[in-house]
């Protein structure tokens, strides 16, 4: 199926089938019209003109509700404390909501956790306020427009003013149907003086397939709030993925990202944090492991608008086989964002002769009274480290494995859910073996 087969009648019918409000139907139709003329994104140093972002088999939403968490595959259940009585959990199977659980205490405080379609209907004005307005814009390029037009999955999380969510909210997006196409949208809002930790997994339980995933996350940390956002992506080989995670931090707000980017297919990833308010703070830590013939491009950007804002980027990648990845790190300080600090570090290890990693640190400074710095390195495993470990009776293979895990540890340790942290360690182990 090609995107040209989607016309206004189809989009209108699909939206009404999901019970969406008129404003969302209208936005879909406007996005569909814009998608015809908008260009594709142009990730720096990666040609994507032959990548498949628009040919796919199915778009429909199916009823895949779970009677209990025990119905999940073992790989998925390992991510969840299935014995806990108060899981704050959303599970989506392919592109449909399958399980939602939120503690009575959080419900009483006004916290919202529900699938994006239900939220658009039951909390229409709230979703409308945040959906592709101040975060990701519909008309940024063709893939954002198609995302808005063909949205078929996702979750909405809202934490009211002055509410601190002590336990993490977890979402798991399960891919177990080889025909699945996913246009998934996540919105996380922490209102004034609130805090939340949100952790998500994209996990394929099928092996090599051919598919298209278009994923957008929008995170809003309002005045003096804090959002910790953890993610582990493990989508199957053959899935072409566009993922855009965007954060907007208001005055004295904090957004902290810990991202394990472990897909086995070709991937374009954008992670942008806009520090809009004075005293705002953004910290992005990400790890990547590429293998096989993967081609990937990862752009991490922090833009400073507010005075005294702080932005940090830490990216560690490991490439093996014939995999190649571009790591673009951008720290931008706008005029007027005085006393701000932009720091970044990108490190890439290559484990084979044909593997390629390219780290590109960029600083764009339009204000005088600021601090900024960057560091980048691309190379092989340090032979001195290997020699030190081997001199203590450790085999070369095991020594290399320990070096790699130590190299990726700064992000792995940041994930706040033990099951997810363990999964990331296991995925790293499997991919570098």
């Amino acid at each position: 199926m090609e995107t040209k087969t989607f016309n206004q009648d189809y989009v209108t019918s699909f939206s009404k089938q999901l019970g969406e409000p008129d404003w969302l139907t209208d936005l879909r139709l406007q996005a569909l019209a814009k998608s015809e003329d908008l260009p594709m994104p142009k990730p720096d140093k990666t040609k994507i003109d032959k990548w498949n972002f628009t040919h796919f088999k199915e778009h429909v939403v199916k009823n895949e509700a779970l009677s209990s968490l025990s119905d999940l595959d073992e790989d998925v259940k390992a991510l969840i404390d299935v014995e806990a009585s108060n899981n704050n959990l959303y599970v989506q199977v392919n592109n449909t909501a399958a399980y939602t659980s939120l503690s009575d205490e959080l419900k009483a405080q006004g916290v919202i956790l529900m699938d994006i379609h239900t939220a658009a209907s039951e909390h229409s004005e709230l979703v409308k306020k945040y959906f592709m307005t101040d975060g990701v814009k519909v008309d940024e390029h063709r893939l954002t427009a198609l995302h808005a037009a063909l949205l078929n999955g996702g979750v909405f999380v809202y934490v009211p003013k002055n509410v601190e969510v002590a336990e993490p909210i977890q979402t798991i997006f399960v891919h177990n149907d080889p025909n699945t196409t996913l246009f998934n949208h996540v919105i996380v809002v922490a209102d004034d003086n609130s805090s939340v930790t949100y952790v998500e997994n994209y996990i394929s339980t099928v092996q090599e397939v051919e598919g298209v995933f278009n994923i957008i996350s929008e995170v809003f940390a309002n005045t003096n709030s804090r959002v910790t956002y953890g993610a582990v992506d493990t989508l199957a080989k053959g899935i072409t993925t566009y993922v855009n995670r965007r954060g907007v931090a208001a005055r004295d707000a904090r957004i902290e990202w810990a991202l394990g980017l472990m897909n086995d297919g070709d991937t374009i990833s954008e992670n942008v944090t806009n520090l809009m308010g004075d005293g705002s703070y953004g910290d992005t830590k990400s790890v990547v492991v590429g293998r096989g013939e993967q081609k990937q491009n990862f752009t991490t950007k922090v833009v400073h608008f507010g005075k005294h804002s702080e932005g940090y980027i830490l990216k560690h990648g490991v490439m093996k086989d014939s995999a190649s990845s571009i790591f673009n790190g951008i720290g931008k300080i706008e005029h007027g964002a005085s006393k701000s600090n932009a720091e970044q570090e990108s490190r890439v290890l290559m484990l084979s002769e044909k593997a390629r990693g390219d780290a590109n640190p960029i600083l764009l400074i339009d204000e005088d009274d600021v601090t900024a710095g960057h560091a980048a390195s691309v190379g092989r495993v340090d032979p001195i480290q290997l020699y030190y470990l081997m001199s203590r009776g450790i085999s070369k293979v095991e020594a290399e494995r320990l070096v790699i895990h130590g190299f990726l540890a700064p992000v792995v340790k940041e994930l706040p859910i033990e099951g997810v942290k363990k999964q990331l360690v296991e995925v790293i182990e499997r991919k570098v073996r």
Side-chain angles (χ1 to χ4, degrees):
M1 183 180 290
E2 299 184 22
T3 55
K4 67 182 180 182
T5 63
F6 295 106
N7 56 30
Q8 289 190 342
D9 289 341
Y10 175 88
V11 170
T12 300
S13 175
F14 183 73
S15 182
K16 294 303 181 185
Q17 173 192 337
L18 294 171
E20 295 175 346
D22 290 342
W23 69 263
L24 185 49
T25 305
D26 292 343
L27 186 149
R28 285 181 180 271
L29 294 172
Q30 293 166 17
L32 183 67
K34 290 177 180 178
S35 70
E36 298 176 3
D37 299 319
L38 288 169
M40 292 290 285
K42 295 181 174 60
D44 192 34
K45 298 188 176 183
T46 301
K47 292 184 66 176
I48 63 169
D49 53 308
K50 296 182 180 179
W51 291 28
N52 174 32
F53 290 103
T54 59
H55 294 68
F56 44 85
K57 296 178 181 177
E58 291 185 358
H59 176 255
V60 297
V61 171
K62 304 174 184 177
N63 181 9
E64 307 203 40
L66 300 169
S67 58
S68 73
L69 294 176
S70 61
D71 294 340
L72 291 167
D73 291 339
E74 292 301 320
D75 288 349
V76 180
K77 284 194 286 188
L79 303 173
I80 308 166
D81 182 1
V82 293
E83 301 300 326
S85 59
N86 61 341
N87 279 322
N88 301 314
L89 175 67
Y90 171 83
V91 179
Q92 181 175 300
V93 178
N94 299 311
N95 54 22
T96 58
Y99 182 91
T100 306
S101 175
L102 186 67
S103 72
D104 291 338
E105 179 185 2
L106 292 183
K107 289 178 184 177
Q109 292 176 303
V111 174
I112 300 170
L113 170 65
M114 62 178 57
D115 72 90
I116 193 78
H117 308 298
T118 302
S121 176
E122 296 186 3
H123 303 278
S124 181
E125 291 305 312
L126 193 56
V127 175
K128 182 180 180 181
K129 178 180 179 181
Y130 291 104
F131 184 83
M132 301 189 83
T133 53
D134 293 330
V136 178
K137 302 294 196 299
V138 169
D139 59 358
E140 290 187 15
H141 47 68
R142 190 178 185 213
L143 295 185
T144 55
L146 286 174
H147 177 94
L150 302 178
L151 168 72
N152 66 358
V155 67
F156 180 73
V157 177
Y158 175 77
V159 181
K161 294 179 180 179
N162 306 313
V163 173
E164 294 187 8
V165 179
E167 297 297 323
I169 290 176
Q170 183 176 13
T171 64
I172 303 176
F173 302 100
V174 182
H175 166 229
N176 65 14
D177 183 344
N179 293 327
T180 293
T181 297
L182 186 61
F183 290 83
N184 208 59
H185 199 96
V186 173
I187 297 177
V188 178
V189 181
D191 218 328
D192 297 353
N193 307 308
S194 68
S195 66
V196 64
T197 295
Y198 169 89
V199 180
E200 72 183 8
N201 278 89
Y202 286 88
I203 179 170
S204 292
T205 59
V206 291
Q207 300 303 311
E208 183 174 351
V209 297
E210 183 178 351
V212 175
F213 278 34
N214 184 319
I215 297 165
I216 291 180
S217 293
E218 301 185 283
V219 175
F220 300 91
N222 291 347
T223 300
N224 197 39
S225 66
R226 176 173 180 169
V227 177
T228 300
Y229 191 113
V232 179
D233 302 344
T234 56
L235 295 173
K237 182 179 179 181
I239 296 177
T240 303
T241 303
Y242 168 73
V243 55
N244 186 335
R245 293 182 169 111
R246 185 78 53 87
V248 180
R251 178 174 55 82
D252 294 326
R254 299 171 65 96
I255 299 178
E256 299 173 58
W257 309 86
L259 308 176
L261 307 170
M262 300 288 154
N263 293 337
D264 277 330
D266 295 342
T267 300
I268 297 296
S269 172
E270 299 179 46
N271 178 218
V272 180
T273 306
N274 291 321
L275 303 178
M276 305 303 298
D278 293 351
S280 53
Y281 178 99
D283 187 340
T284 302
K285 295 183 174 70
S286 56
V287 293
V288 176
V289 176
R291 64 178 175 176
E293 298 181 352
Q294 273 185 286
K295 292 180 174 58
Q296 302 184 93
N297 185 291
F298 303 95
T299 298
T300 306
K301 184 177 183 179
V302 179
V303 186
H304 300 249
F305 295 92
K307 295 179 173 60
H308 298 275
S309 55
E310 294 185 57
Y312 301 93
I313 298 171
L314 175 65
K315 304 167 77 169
H316 283 194
V318 174
M319 298 295 112
K320 63 176 291 190
D321 304 326
S322 299
S324 63
S325 289
I326 304 296
F327 297 87
N328 300 309
I330 304 170
K332 189 173 194 309
I333 300 181
E334 300 286 358
H335 180 65
S338 58
K339 306 294 184 182
S340 293
N341 182 24
E343 304 287 343
Q344 62 171 291
E345 175 185 328
S346 296
R347 309 285 183 190
V348 183
L349 279 181
M350 294 182 293
L351 303 184
S352 59
E353 291 297 325
K354 293 184 178 180
R356 293 290 179 268
D358 188 357
N360 305 303
I362 300 169
L363 293 174
L364 304 171
I365 311 299
D366 290 331
E367 179 61 51
D368 294 329
D369 189 12
V370 298
T371 304
H374 64 72
S377 67
V378 177
R380 309 288 175 188
V381 175
D382 188 342
I384 296 176
Q385 289 180 318
L386 288 182
Y387 176 79
Y388 176 82
L389 292 169
M390 292 169 64
S391 70
R392 278 147 180 78
I394 298 174
S395 69
K396 182 178 180 180
V397 171
E398 179 67 10
E400 188 174 79
R401 187 186 72 84
L402 291 172
V403 169
I404 292 168
H405 278 286
F407 177 73
L408 300 177
V411 176
V412 175
K413 69 181 183 181
E414 294 296 320
L415 288 168
I417 293 178
E418 286 302 316
V420 178
K421 188 183 299 183
K422 180 181 177 183
Q423 180 224 14
L424 181 54
V425 171
E426 291 173 349
V427 171
I428 292 169
E429 186 81 19
R430 185 172 68 247
K431 294 192 75 167
V432 302
R433 189 174 299 154

